[in-house]
Amino acid sequence: MNGAGVAVARRLLRYAWAAPCTGIGLAFALPLLLAGARLRRVHGVYEVALMRGHATSRLTRAVPISAITFGHVVIGACEAELARLRAHEHTHVRQYERWGALFFVAYGVSSLVQLLRGRSAYWHNHFEVQARHPHGS
């Protein structure tokens, strides 16, 4: 197999390894898309924007997160938030490619460890720290 074939095979393996998580993301995305959300494919990742442009303050108050990633699916409040958080969320995509479905457990364990240390389950979670500093880890 030549270099290009190896690269394609690796990419397919990463997609397959993360596929169970991507399936969960698609299950969440489908009703949102039926309700008018917008779907885009960016660098091999499906991004679902709940609103076009910028989110209204009512939506941002109702939904406590700006974006969330499941495998190769990122669901965000709006297109502007998806653009702003793209590097962060795409780091999570790479984490899913590395960990597969075990990412759910690993993320939860990391949060639990931080809570037991008296720290923030989100801000100090290893995977969130890595996503905030994708080139520093």
Side-chain angles (χ1 to χ4, degrees):
M1 189 179 294
N2 64 21
V6 170
V8 169
R10 284 184 181 161
R11 173 175 267 180
L12 289 174
L13 284 173
R14 287 192 308 266
Y15 274 82
W17 183 238
C21 307
T22 301
I24 291 169
L26 292 172
F28 283 124
L30 183 60
L32 298 171
L33 293 169
L34 293 173
R38 185 171 181 185
L39 176 70
R40 285 183 56 197
R41 189 165 180 255
V42 180
H43 306 296
V45 176
Y46 293 101
E47 295 184 351
V48 178
L50 299 177
M51 299 182 65
R52 295 178 191 256
H54 294 275
T56 63
S57 59
R58 191 173 92 191
L59 175 64
T60 55
R61 281 193 307 269
V63 179
I65 58 171
S66 296
I68 189 166
T69 301
F70 297 97
H72 289 89
V73 177
V74 178
I75 300 170
C78 64
E79 293 168 340
E81 284 297 280
L82 286 169
R84 183 178 72 83
L85 296 170
R86 186 163 289 129
H88 179 95
E89 298 304 328
H90 283 220
T91 297
H92 287 315
V93 170
R94 289 188 296 282
Q95 292 167 340
Y96 277 103
E97 290 177 344
R98 202 170 300 121
W99 288 82
L102 295 173
F103 180 75
F104 293 125
V105 175
Y107 190 99
V109 167
S110 181
S111 289
L112 179 60
V113 166
Q114 297 312 319
L115 281 174
L116 293 173
R117 291 180 174 172
R119 301 169 83 190
S120 168
Y122 175 79
W123 287 104
H124 295 105
N125 181 300
H126 166 76
F127 299 100
E128 293 300 335
V129 171
Q130 188 178 50
R132 281 193 299 278
H133 308 286
H135 302 295
S137 52

